Structure formats: C-alpha cells, structure tokens
Amino acid sequence: MEKHLSEKFYLAMKKLEPRYPNKKALILPALHQAQEEYGWLPKEVLEEIGTYIGVHPAQIREVASFYTMYNLKPVGKNHLKICTNVACCLRGADELMNFAEKKLGIKCGETTSDGMFSLSEEECLGACTTAPAMMANDEYIEELDVNKLNHFIEKMKVLKI
Amino acid sequence: MRQNTLFEQHFWKDSNRSLDYYLQNMNGYQAAQKVLKEMNPDQVIEEVKKGNLRGRGGAGFPMGMKWGFIPKASEKPKYLVCNADESEPGTCKDRQIMRYTPHLLIEGLIIGSFAIGCKHSYIYIRGEYVNEAKLLNAAIEEAYEKGYLGKNILGSGFDLDITVHRGAGAYICGEETGLLNSLEGKRGEPRVKPPFPAVSGAFGCPTAVNNVESIANVPHLIRMGGDAFAQLGKIDKSGGTRLISLSGHVKKPGVYEIQAGSVTLRQIIEDIGGGIINDKKLKAVIPGGSSSPILTADEIDVVYDVEPLMKVGTMMGSAAIMVIHEDTDLVKLLLRITKFYAHESCGQCTPCREGCHWMESILHKILHGEAKPTDLDLLVDVAQNIGGKTLCALGDAAAGPVISFVKKFRPEFESYIKGQKRYA
Amino acid sequence: MPKCTIDGKEVEFKPGENLITVAKRAGVEIPVFCYHPGLSVVAQCRMCYVEIEKMPKLQTACSTNAAEGMVVKTQSDPVVKGRAGTMEFLLLNHPLDCPICDKAGECDLQDNSFGHGSANMRHTEERRTYVDVDMGPVIEKNMNRCIHCTRCIRFGEEVAGIHEMVAIQRGNNIDITTIDGNPLQTEYAGNYADICPTGSLTLRDFRFRKRAWMLKKTSTICEGCSKGCNMEIQHEGNVIYRCVPRENLEINKYWMCDEGRMNYHYTQDEKRILNPRSGATFIGWEDAIQTLKDQINEKPLTVLVGSDLTQQELENILEYTKNYHKGSSVYHFGTEGVFTSAQDLPVDKILKMKSKTSNLNGAEKLGIKSVQEMKSASDVVLVFAGGRANVQSVTKKLEGKKLIGIGVYSLNEAESFSMVLPSLSFTEKDGTIFNHQGIEQKLKRAIQPKNTIKAISEILMLTANKKVKVGAN
C-alpha cells in the first residue's frame, strides 16, 4: 500500500504509543497529527491510520465524523470560525458573522473560490469573558469587533498565507 | 487583580506560568512534598473531605467522596483523569488555570494520583484549546525535568506520568463517560451507568474524573489544611473559593474568584461586574452555564452557591454567569441555546437526538411567525419528554432552558406567535 | 433466591439478571428496541422505562439489574407517558411506509407503536431523509426507516467480529452504514435483517416475496454444517421463502450464517432431480426399482452414505445392506479433507464448522467408516446423499464403476451416475442428527415432498420386496 503519512507522523505516534495502554487510544492524536500535515483528512489518510492502529477503516471514519474539528473535506488556507454561542451572541457575534460573509463574499460553511478562506460558525470556544471570539486556524482572537476582524482578514490577504 | 486570592492574583501575566514563579510565589510543590513524605492515601482523602471541596465541573459532587469510591483492592491500574473539556457555554475559568497556573494543576494531579493509586494521569483538554495544550505540555516537561513527574518523585518512591489528550470538538466530551470514550479513541458518546467510572472507567479500570479547578484546589487545600480550606467557604458544604466566569452584558466581564457562598448574584453583577453595560436595565441571568434554567431580574438576590441556587429552581453548574439586558430578544436567544444542544447531541439516545432537533424546529417556527398558538405548549411538552428521560445529562441541559424561558417570559414568545412581533 | 416485586407480583431472580429478563418470567413484557439478549446493553432507545420505588427518575429496565426487595412498576402513569414520548420521537422521522415494507407484520416499531404510541401526530415538520448506499447482495438498506438502535453496529463488532457497520456523523444527522457503499464483508450478514427492529435492514433474498404474516413456521435444524444451528423454515403454499435462526444458547445463540440461511434454495432449484432417471432419460418408479434390483441382485456392494443423512436413514441403509447384500462395505463421505470428527474444527470464531454436512458425528456413532478407508469398490456402487455431501469428491474416485445415486441430486451431479432415484431433502423429512458437540437434534418436515420423490426407507423397502409394485404417488 502506498504511504501517505510522513515519517514525522509515524515518529510522533511512536513517541505516544507507550503513553496509552492500547493503540486504539491513539486514534484522536493520530487524526490531529494527520490533519496538521494535510489540512484535512482524505480517505486514503483515514485508511492508513486504520491500518496503523489495526482497526477497520470504517471505525476511523466513525470516530472522525463525530468530532467537528476533523475536516473530512478540504478547507481554505485560513479557516475562520466565529463563535456565535450565547456569550458571543450577546456581544454582537451575529454582526461579525454578517460582516465576514460580506467581506469574503461567501456564506457561513463555504470556502472562497481561491481557497484562501473558509468561514464557519463555531459553538462556544470557552472564551466567554472576552467575547466575542473567533478561532483563526489554531489561534484565538478575542474581544473581537468589526474593525479587528476586517484588519485580520486584510492582513491574511496581503500575506497570502 | 484582586490580591489574597488563591488563583486570581496570578492570572493575566505570562511569566507567572513558569515553574520558577510557582516555586517562589505560590509555595510550589510543597503540598505534594508533604503528601508524598508525610501522609498516606487515606489521610489525603480524609483531608480533602474535611475541606468540603466539591467538584467545580457542574455537578458539585464532594471530591473526597469521589476519590473514596475508587476500590483499593482492585488489581487493575487506576486512573485519575482531569476534565479540561470546559465545554459548557459561558465557562472559561479552567482555561485561566491552564494558561497561568499550570503547575497548580500538575501538583494537584500528583496529590490526587497518590490518593487513589494512579500511576498515569490524563488531562483531557478540549480540542480548541490548542494553545493551552501547548502550555500544559511545556509545564509538564518542566516538571519532568525537575523531578516532579516521572519515576520516584521527590525521592518518595512514587511514580507518575501525565499525558495531555486533546479532544476534537464535541460538547458531550465534558460528560465524564463521554470523555472516557473519547480518551479511549472512540466516539464521545456517554456510557450507560452503572458501571460507574470508579469501578470501570478509562480502559475498563477504576477511574476518577475531576475538573481542572477541582484538582487545582487540592494543593491549596493540603497546604492550608482541610479545616482552613473549608472555612474559606461561607456556606455549609462548600469549601474554598469559586472561580466564576462572568460574561454577557456586564461592564467588566471576566473570570473572578469569590469565597464560596460569600456573595449574592446581584453583588456579583453589580459590584464585581460593574453593572450593566450602557446602564441598561437587567432583564435576566443565566446563572450556571447555558444549561441552567434562567432567572429573571427579580430573582438575583440569591446567595451564589450550589444549594441556594437549587432552591430557586436553577443551578450553579460550572459557575458561568451570563448577564442579559433589556434589549435582548429571548426567543432568539433560546433558539440559539437549543440549536447548540441539538448540534451537540451525540445522537445515541432517542429523546435527545430527536427531541432537541424538534425543539429547535418549533422555536424556529415561532421566531419566524409560522407557529400555531398550540406550539408553545407543544414545545414545553417536548422538553418535558426529554428532561429526566435521557441517558446522560445533555437532555436535561437542553430541556431546562426551554422550560424556564417559556415559563418566565411567555408573553415574549406569544407576541411572535400572535404576529405582534416580527423577526428582523 | 433473592426476590423482587414486579407489578405487584413477587419474582425470584438470579443476581445479575436485568429487569427485562426477570419481568418476562413474571409474565410481564417490557417493550424494547435497542436491547437484545445477545448484544451489549446500551440503554439508548429509551423504550423500556420502568418506575422503581425510591428512585426519582424513570429507569431503563435493560440496564437495571434486579435487586433484593426492589419494587418495580411497568404500567404506572409516568411509565406510560415516558414510553409514549419515546414512540413519538421515534416516529418523527419514520416514513410509515409499512404497506411497502417487508418488515411489516413482524416489526417491533409497528408493534410497540400500536401498544404504546399515540394515533395522532403532533409533528408537522419535514422528515429527515437519506440517500441510501448499496451494502452488497445480502442486505437492502433503507436509512429513512432507521430508529438508531445500533443493534447492527453492536452485532458487527461483538458477534461477527467486524466493525463494518458504523454510525457516521452525530446527533440528528447520524447515518448508520458501511462506508463508501462498501458491501458487507461478514458471512453472517443475514442476522442484520433479523435483529433490525424495523425495516431499515431487510433481506434481499426475501424482498417483496411474501408478507410476513402469511408465512407458516417450522422449527428445524440447519443442515449447512456440523454446528446444527437451530432455525425456522418459513413457508407458504409448499414453497419455502426464508430461513431464520432460532435461539439455542448452547449452540448458535441467536445467529446463523448466510450460507446456512440461503442453503434451502437448492431444494427448490429447477436443476434438482425430482423423478427417477436412467442415463439421461426420466423413467417411472417401477422401471427404476426393477433396474436397480437387476443391477445389484443380492451381491456384496460398496455403499457410500452422505454424512448429511439422518440417523434413521443411515440405520435403514445399514439394516438393508446387512440383510440383503451380505459382505457389503459402507463408508461415509461429506466434506473433502474432513473425514473424522477430530478433523472437524471451527472455521471461524463464530459458528461455522469445517464439516459441511450436519451428521458426521451421527455416522461415526453408527460405526460407519470414512470413505478414506475405502481400498477398492464393487462394480456397482450405491451412493446415498441428502443434498449437502460433496458427491463429486467420491464420484471422481470411482471412475469406471457403475454408480447409482439415491437421494437429493442436481442435474450436474447426475451426470456421473448411471441411474438416480430421487429422495427427500432436509426440508421434507423428519429425522435425528448429532451436531459436532454430540448434541442430538431433530429435523422437522416443513413442506410436502414434490413430484414422486420417495423416502430412502421406501426405496429400500421396494428394492427388498420380491415383486415390484409401486403405488400411485
């Protein structure tokens, strides 16, 4: 079978193996590690993880699809996840979402045609006392307002990262 | 930062998270030293019981008792699992602990592990806390280097490893058995109880699952002694201090520390939170995370602790207070809350899987002027068919807000149904 | 024994028994969907609510073990309301397409809805729908009908040993399926249809062939291998429509394999020989018996018997050869490579055994030697077989001999024989067999023999008689 996951992936897993009483417990860490490499989790990668863990590939898909952070479809280079839960909602999250949709020209749940941005709604991020908050890829941006959001999107566009 | 607090005075300064700071300014690892050198596991559990330390995750269960349930005679490995999923909307206090006082958590885990006979402890942290997981791992590495973790800790002969396990976006993993399934590499679906985790938890072994704040309190408790810790609480059964997450329409939202049972909800909102933004009128308060039944502006003269809140028909939960002012549309807010629980329902048990989504649909119809007059009672009846009927507490979490919102703010819902109000 | 009280009746129980089991013993049926005695308990469907004294909330009977002095109510108002609530939730998204559903008539959802649900519907929203993927030749899937009981997932994981049925997504969006439209790999897939409490997983082989309530049921034993799985032949108008497993905790528990389930087809196949045949032509019984008599004529014979025959048939054959063909030798045959019960090992960890015939153990009990020990053979060889024994494995060893087949044969098999006299298949006869554990079990006639086929005992009797006179049949 052709390998899709890197040496780095297997090294990271080797390091984690002794920390759990069985290999199955490595499913979540493996999915995180693979997503870090690919940005999302293609079918072949899920299958390879199944082979590595020693379970049926359906089992990997079953687990991965339960959690919202695992992308089973490709996402944009910058994934903006705006929290719209209670605390953020009370502090104007809807307005931020509307702004982001207009600014990026996409609806929540979509990716821009150039693949630069994906926009989604996030359930509570646990940053309620600094609401509204969003996650941009792995980073939290808190006490957000339209200006801050605009500035962030502009910066990403210029940096093309 | 308010001084003379156990936690709060150390927040918001990045340099405070280092081991050096912890050793110099927080009597770092002295409690662990005392426990490992001078105490036996039973004495530790006894001391924690004396301190009236109750769980900070939501249920408020006495922690010493929980540890006491772990069967000593069992030949199997035992696990202490730290619940750092912090998923109840409104809650963000554990994040502060992990960001600014990670060694407090590590020391708490050492003491707790010693008490229940655990050799490998896991911190299950929500997937979104990428940065916090990194900070924890860095602190753990520091602790290994200095001999606070690993083999023969502080020369006591006691061994402990700690592993940070990241979740991946699922509210239900804050439920302890959902969390354990997730730790084991499964879907985070809650398990049927019994067996309880104390008998068969992580990997089929006896397990105690405790919230971050609960565990981080243990070093304080041991250092000052159970009696003194209990006296920090100004109310029966609750010892120590409580971290509260104050959010929504207050002038100064934030994570604050109060002595348990020392203030009322009104004092928290007005004195600590500085009152309502733009000096608006208070309309309602969600007092203990989004699953707690809502309180009206007239109901906030209640001591903010477990039993007093229970008496007024709500709960303290994870001590997340969301303050709501007069301009807020509660129909829309309830739809938002219900949508959350429908989205987070794991789907295994019938009332929650089908009912939460149905409640969301009914609320959507109400908000958009498509509902019949009978739909409001239908909504409450559906909520009652969910509440108390589900496998885990998510059903109750979803039903409680619906029942309380409609009961206390019925005219707002009716004005949509009658077409007097339209969704903008 | 400890006791508890269910609906006012005192019942004894063994520690560890759940309330469903204990209630059943007291004659109280508690409705269930996700609970299955052969699978782990998950308490997901929330149908089996009961009220227990001193407990504030309703409890699920499946996950509650009986305890000394426990007082249980299964018909109280909260219980009735709780079950009605669950029924309403389960039907929110169910299509109610019973008129075109194969499960209708034997559907738990139908039964429990009738018993515990409401005739009115308060839900006016659009139903949840799915596009179904293919799942291979055995099972037809209809996710719209699914009530998420997860019996299928647990069956795959816990019984079939393959985690191929999974729940994808979560909450209200869960799809229970194999991934990417992969066909089911397990050789026990038919059980998915049996345990599905609604028409979400149905048997393709049975699809649209008969309404369940029209079927007559005959309890018998599968002849597919030496396991001896207990099963039921379901038939109507002398036609078999399907076979399903019957509970036997000592042998097959609740399950059977697909091979055994589908095995009955050959008995109704158009290639099965149903009239005596000489060479390539069909002849009458009188001619057939006369020809047989002429050819074997009291000489010592080599007689081969399939280990798929019943004890009674084997005994008749032994008796016949002892009395009419002194000096004959009788050998049993069945599966290539499995000549003795010592060689008959499990094929998997589930049910299947290596011996593809059901009565190897019985043949050995009668002292019949294995065909492996046959050194030479008479010019004319009699081959008795019940339909499962591998006939080709012996005919190829006997090239140049004149072979006469008595039993269940297909046209293909008949080519090696000079003559075939058709007899009863396992669906058409009563008899005794011994499974690999040595457990004695009974085959039961489900349908009447077709055409003019005759029992082996009758064929032997006619052959033994001086005068051939075959009555109208």
Side-chain angles (χ1 to χ4, degrees):
Chain A
M1 203 173 76
E2 194 200 338
K3 283 231 164 143
H4 299 274
L5 291 162
S6 69
E7 249 344 273
K8 194 180 148 209
F9 170 88
Y10 285 101
L11 275 175
M13 290 301 112
K14 263 265 139 357
K15 238 177 103 187
L16 279 177
E17 273 176 29
R19 304 203 74 89
Y20 294 93
N22 62 46
K23 232 171 152 186
K24 221 183 127 185
L26 289 167
I27 293 181
L28 266 70
L31 290 167
H32 277 306
Q33 185 72 30
Q35 183 156 298
E36 210 162 278
E37 288 187 10
Y38 273 79
W40 67 293
L41 296 164
K43 191 179 145 192
E44 310 78 59
V45 166
L46 293 175
E47 273 170 20
E48 192 172 325
I49 292 175
T51 310
Y52 162 68
I53 303 275
V55 297
H56 197 281
Q59 207 174 331
I60 301 293
R61 191 90 62 88
E62 182 177 44
V63 172
S65 70
F66 185 84
Y67 300 95
T68 53
M69 284 179 73
Y70 296 129
N71 304 319
L72 298 178
K73 284 182 193 135
V75 289
K77 271 190 175 166
N78 294 294
H79 193 177
L80 308 188
K81 294 175 267 190
I82 299 177
C83 174
T84 59
N85 208 300
V86 182
C88 289
C89 191
L90 293 173
R91 288 276 179 164
D94 288 357
E95 200 190 330
L96 292 173
M97 181 57 87
N98 288 340
F99 175 81
E101 284 185 342
K102 264 194 213 120
K103 174 93 189 169
L104 297 171
I106 50 173
K107 289 262 161 232
C108 177
E110 293 177 348
T111 301
T112 55
S113 54
D114 61 0
M116 280 296 289
F117 291 95
S118 287
L119 181 64
S120 33
E121 183 177 54
E122 187 68 22
E123 293 301 353
C124 185
L125 289 171
C128 315
T129 58
T130 45
M134 77 166 186
M135 235 181 137
N137 302 324
D138 283 348
E139 286 294 320
Y140 272 48
I141 304 178
E142 295 163 65
E143 293 177 321
L144 202 59
D145 56 29
V146 166
N147 279 337
K148 226 166 157 181
L149 180 57
N150 187 36
H151 182 77
F152 177 81
I153 295 173
E154 285 299 330
K155 192 174 87 187
M156 288 297 147
K157 276 185 176 167
V158 173
L159 292 174
K160 287 203 187 300
I161 48 168
Chain B
M1 291 312 104
R2 293 175 313 153
Q3 296 306 307
N4 301 321
T5 47
L6 300 179
F7 297 92
E8 197 187 322
Q9 59 174 321
H10 307 290
F11 289 165
W12 297 115
K13 209 165 155 201
D14 286 349
S15 59
N16 290 2
R17 67 174 67 107
S18 70
L19 180 59
D20 283 345
Y21 178 88
Y22 188 58
L23 294 172
Q24 279 161 30
N25 301 292
M26 296 180 74
N27 304 304
Y29 291 104
Q30 285 178 15
Q33 192 124 11
K34 183 177 168 192
V35 163
L36 297 180
K37 299 238 162 105
E38 299 166 20
M39 294 171 85
N40 65 39
D42 287 340
Q43 288 169 324
V44 178
I45 293 176
E46 225 21 72
E47 204 61 32
V48 173
K49 280 184 185 167
K50 247 196 250 170
N52 280 344
L53 175 53
R54 59 202 308 177
R56 306 300 202 226
F61 195 80
M63 190 146 156
M65 225 151 109
K66 206 169 189 179
W67 286 357
F69 290 151
I70 302 292
K72 288 195 181 57
S74 173
E75 300 275 298
K76 290 179 179 175
K78 293 156 193 95
Y79 292 106
L80 176 61
V81 177
C82 172
N83 184 345
D85 195 58
E86 191 152 68
S87 49
E88 182 67 22
T91 321
C92 51
K93 62 187 177 70
D94 294 339
R95 183 175 174 222
Q96 294 297 85
I97 294 174
M98 292 186 280
R99 278 209 285 189
Y100 299 109
T101 62
H103 284 286
L104 206 46
L105 178 59
I106 295 169
E107 187 174 358
L109 286 171
I110 295 170
I111 298 168
S113 296
F114 176 77
I116 67 163
C118 160
K119 302 269 173 252
H120 198 134
S121 175
Y122 294 93
I123 301 174
Y124 183 96
I125 185 169
R126 62 178 299 173
E128 292 85 352
Y129 284 172
V130 182
N131 197 36
E132 288 72 12
K134 278 183 192 149
L135 296 175
L136 273 180
N137 273 323
I140 288 168
E141 210 158 295
E142 247 183 328
Y144 269 109
E145 274 168 23
K146 296 283 152 61
Y148 296 114
L149 286 176
K151 297 262 173 251
N152 192 19
I153 296 170
L154 301 168
S156 65
F158 179 67
D159 308 334
L160 179 69
D161 288 306
I162 297 180
T163 300
V164 175
H165 187 92
R166 285 181 61 212
Y171 166 77
I172 197 58
C173 292
E175 197 278 348
E176 61 179 7
T177 56
L179 181 151
L180 293 174
N181 272 342
S182 188
L183 174 64
E184 290 180 18
K186 300 174 187 160
R187 293 161 67 83
E189 292 164 346
R191 300 173 181 173
V192 54
K193 285 162 272 186
F196 290 93
V199 176
S200 178
F203 310 103
C205 299
T207 302
V209 183
N210 295 113
N211 168 266
V212 171
E213 186 190 343
S214 316
I215 293 171
N217 262 303
V218 174
H220 292 310
L221 185 151
I222 294 293
R223 211 185 46 251
M224 67 178 74
D227 290 331
F229 187 85
Q231 274 159 27
L232 281 177
K234 297 300 164 204
I235 190 167
D236 269 2
K237 295 190 202 165
S238 296
T241 63
R242 295 290 307 235
L243 287 174
I244 54 171
S245 315
L246 184 60
S247 68
H249 296 145
V250 282
K251 285 184 180 151
K252 295 187 287 175
V255 174
Y256 300 105
E257 187 173 352
I258 56 167
Q259 285 177 264
S262 63
V263 284
T264 64
L265 193 48
R266 182 182 299 282
Q267 286 170 314
I268 292 173
I269 295 166
E270 291 175 0
D271 302 344
I272 301 176
I276 311 296
I277 46 169
N278 301 329
D279 294 321
K280 295 258 179 199
K281 256 172 68 188
L282 178 71
K283 182 174 193 178
V285 182
I286 299 175
S290 71
S291 62
S292 58
I294 196 165
L295 293 176
T296 64
D298 303 332
E299 292 177 304
I300 61 168
D301 290 304
V302 53
V303 171
Y304 192 70
D305 206 67
V306 181
E307 277 78 20
L309 285 163
M310 215 153 17
K311 270 195 198 134
V312 297
T314 185
M315 59 191 196
M316 188 180 189
S318 52
I321 303 165
M322 289 178 279
V323 179
I324 298 158
H325 71 38
E326 53 186 332
D327 295 350
T328 314
D329 185 334
L330 290 185
V331 179
K332 203 176 141 194
L333 194 68
L334 180 61
L335 173 59
R336 187 60 194 82
I337 292 174
T338 306
K339 189 177 150 206
F340 170 72
Y341 289 106
H343 181 262
E344 298 299 333
S345 166
C346 79
Q348 62 172 338
C349 86
T350 306
C352 179
R353 174 186 67 247
E354 305 291 340
C356 292
H357 187 256
W358 192 10
M359 291 197 301
E360 185 191 339
S361 305
I362 298 171
L363 277 163
H364 191 271
K365 283 202 299 194
I366 293 175
L367 188 68
H368 289 85
E370 296 156 9
K372 296 190 296 271
T374 51
D375 281 348
L376 203 49
D377 289 333
L378 173 64
L379 176 67
V380 174
D381 196 50
V382 172
Q384 278 162 350
N385 278 342
I386 300 172
K389 307 281 198 313
T390 49
L391 197 150
C392 80
L394 197 145
D396 299 328
V402 170
I403 294 170
S404 67
F405 271 62
V406 176
K407 189 174 153 201
K408 292 180 182 173
F409 299 94
R410 195 172 178 105
E412 269 198 54
F413 291 81
E414 283 170 343
S415 63
Y416 273 109
I417 294 173
K418 289 177 188 154
Q420 292 157 345
K421 202 170 167 192
R422 283 188 197 288
Y423 175 60
Chain C
M1 275 226 282
K3 285 179 193 149
C4 64
T5 308
I6 295 179
D7 291 344
K9 274 179 250 178
E10 218 177 43
V11 203
E12 291 193 331
F13 64 89
K14 285 193 251 51
E17 279 184 323
N18 71 6
L19 289 179
I20 291 176
T21 317
V22 179
K24 206 171 183 180
R25 206 175 303 132
V28 175
E29 173 116 5
I30 296 174
V32 298
F33 290 113
C34 70
Y35 175 73
H36 188 288
L39 303 173
S40 62
V41 170
V42 289
Q44 290 174 348
C45 74
R46 317 307 283 180
M47 191 63 197
C48 64
Y49 291 129
V50 291
E51 200 182 337
I52 299 173
E53 240 170 49
K54 290 181 201 137
M55 288 187 161
K57 289 182 185 178
L58 294 177
Q59 302 293 313
T60 44
C62 65
S63 63
T64 309
N65 286 349
E68 175 67 41
M70 194 181 248
V71 179
V72 182
K73 289 184 213 154
T74 76
Q75 301 296 334
S76 68
D77 288 349
V79 171
V80 169
K81 186 172 186 312
R83 285 179 190 159
T86 295
M87 272 321 308
E88 181 176 42
F89 286 135
L90 288 175
L91 293 180
L92 293 185
N93 287 296
H94 189 79
L96 297 172
D97 57 346
C98 312
I100 55 154
C101 178
D102 273 323
K103 198 76 177 186
E106 54 178 10
C107 173
D108 294 347
L109 192 63
Q110 243 181 1
D111 294 349
N112 286 339
S113 176
F114 185 75
H116 308 279
S118 155
N120 298 317
M121 179 118 240
R122 298 191 292 175
H123 179 260
T124 52
E125 285 81 9
E126 198 171 298
R127 286 186 169 92
R128 176 179 64 212
T129 50
Y130 298 84
V131 177
D132 283 320
V133 291
D134 189 75
M135 290 219 310
V138 184
I139 295 291
E140 179 75 23
K141 188 184 160 214
N142 184 329
M143 187 64 203
N144 292 340
R145 295 178 185 152
C146 178
I147 58 164
H148 303 75
C149 73
T150 71
R151 276 183 182 180
C152 55
I153 298 178
R154 283 174 284 145
F155 172 80
E157 196 181 347
E158 297 165 14
V159 181
I162 178 164
H163 201 121
E164 56 184 339
M165 285 293 288
V166 291
I168 301 291
Q169 306 294 330
R170 73 177 183 213
N172 196 47
N173 300 319
I174 285 181
D175 187 2
I176 292 174
T177 182
T178 58
I179 54 168
D180 303 325
N182 288 343
L184 289 164
Q185 286 170 272
T186 176
E187 292 169 346
Y188 294 79
N191 297 291
Y192 285 124
D194 298 335
I195 57 170
C196 182
T198 176
S200 193
L201 302 172
T202 52
L203 205 61
R204 281 200 161 174
D205 187 54
F206 181 64
R207 191 162 160 79
F208 301 147
R209 287 181 63 212
K210 208 74 190 167
R211 302 310 322 221
W213 58 86
M214 298 173 87
L215 293 167
K216 296 180 191 71
K217 294 161 184 177
T218 305
S219 295
T220 185
I221 308 299
C222 174
E223 62 148 11
C225 75
S226 60
K227 189 78 187 179
C229 292
N230 290 209
M231 74 171 190
E232 200 166 76
I233 293 180
Q234 303 194 344
H235 52 96
E236 203 265 329
N238 219 35
V239 176
I240 298 171
Y241 288 94
R242 65 175 174 186
C243 296
V244 296
R246 269 189 305 132
E247 175 182 330
N248 184 327
L249 297 179
E250 260 182 293
I251 298 171
N252 55 307
K253 300 198 172 69
Y254 312 89
W255 324 114
M256 74 185 296
C257 71
D258 294 341
E259 187 180 342
R261 188 184 296 265
M262 305 300 174
N263 174 52
Y264 76 94
H265 278 294
Y266 82 91
T267 68
Q268 306 186 145
D269 195 285
E270 55 184 22
K271 286 208 168 130
R272 178 177 167 194
I273 293 179
L274 295 172
N275 288 303
R277 186 178 123 126
S278 175
T281 49
F282 288 104
I283 55 173
W285 273 101
E286 278 183 20
D287 289 348
I289 299 287
Q290 192 56 56
T291 316
L292 176 62
K293 282 168 84 120
D294 294 346
Q295 291 190 2
I296 58 179
N297 194 21
E298 295 182 11
K299 284 182 285 198
L301 293 171
T302 300
V303 178
L304 301 182
V305 293
S307 45
D308 52 356
L309 296 172
T310 64
Q311 287 308 88
Q312 290 77 6
E313 288 171 325
L314 292 171
E315 281 164 13
N316 285 338
I317 295 164
L318 290 176
E319 184 90 2
Y320 170 80
T321 45
K322 197 173 98 193
N323 289 333
Y324 298 97
H325 301 275
K326 284 202 176 52
S328 294
S329 24
V330 182
Y331 304 99
H332 68 75
F333 71 100
T335 313
E336 260 192 299
V338 187
F339 301 105
T340 67
S341 51
Q343 293 168 328
D344 184 17
L345 299 169
V347 174
D348 56 28
K349 288 180 186 152
I350 312 163
L351 297 172
K352 289 188 180 194
M353 298 296 295
K354 276 190 165 176
S355 167
K356 291 289 172 203
T357 56
S358 58
N359 199 26
L360 176 58
N361 217 323
E364 286 183 349
K365 273 185 202 295
L366 293 171
I368 302 171
K369 286 176 287 185
S370 153
V371 69
Q372 218 186 6
E373 295 178 41
M374 179 177 77
K375 298 283 178 293
S376 61
S378 54
D379 291 340
V380 178
V381 178
L382 289 187
V383 183
F384 293 86
R388 267 306 274 183
N390 187 338
V391 175
Q392 255 130 32
S393 73
V394 289
T395 54
K396 71 181 181 208
K397 286 189 193 163
L398 295 166
E399 261 173 51
K401 306 282 182 188
K402 189 169 238 179
L403 305 182
I404 297 173
I406 301 173
V408 185
Y409 294 97
S410 70
L411 276 174
N412 298 344
E413 287 167 335
E415 275 164 20
S416 319
F417 292 93
S418 68
M419 194 160 83
V420 171
L421 293 112
S423 185
L424 308 178
S425 76
F426 79 109
T427 64
E428 297 147 345
K429 67 190 175 193
D430 292 339
T432 307
I433 53 175
F434 288 89
N435 84 342
H436 75 107
Q437 297 154 287
I439 298 175
E440 182 177 341
Q441 303 200 92
K442 299 270 183 252
L443 292 184
K444 206 91 183 102
R445 172 184 282 193
I447 59 169
Q448 295 303 313
K450 288 185 187 60
N451 286 28
T452 63
I453 58 177
K454 293 185 186 305
I456 286 176
S457 56
E458 191 183 351
I459 296 170
L460 294 176
M461 204 157 61
L462 289 167
T463 314
N465 281 349
K466 291 255 155 32
K467 219 169 130 189
V468 181
K469 180 74 188 157
V470 180
N473 193 334

